[in-house]
Amino acid sequence: MSERAAPFFCPYCGDEDLRPNEEGHGAWECAACNRAFTLKFLGLLARGVQRNDGGGEQI
């Protein structure tokens, strides 16, 4: 796993022109809409991922 996970698009305008911000870890700025935002990993869910379909498709 990389030390810093980069977002693929801006959560406000959807543009892909993002750059790391000088504010610190997880801070990004969008050149298209001129907004700055931070991303934070909160953790894993205790229950994990559960499937509702009963398994894969039969061959």
Side-chain angles (χ1 to χ4, degrees):
M1 189 166 148
S2 68
E3 194 172 303
R4 180 193 317 206
F8 294 110
F9 57 88
C10 174
Y12 297 100
C13 72
D15 200 84
E16 298 177 355
D17 192 7
L18 302 176
R19 298 180 180 98
N21 188 287
E22 296 177 0
E23 291 296 319
H25 182 73
W28 294 87
E29 56 188 50
C30 176
C33 68
N34 206 29
R35 289 185 171 130
F37 58 93
T38 59
L39 299 177
K40 182 178 179 181
F41 177 71
L42 298 177
L44 297 174
L45 299 175
R47 65 179 184 270
V49 176
Q50 299 176 358
R51 294 182 68 153
N52 293 332
D53 61 0
E57 190 174 314
Q58 297 293 328
I59 298 176

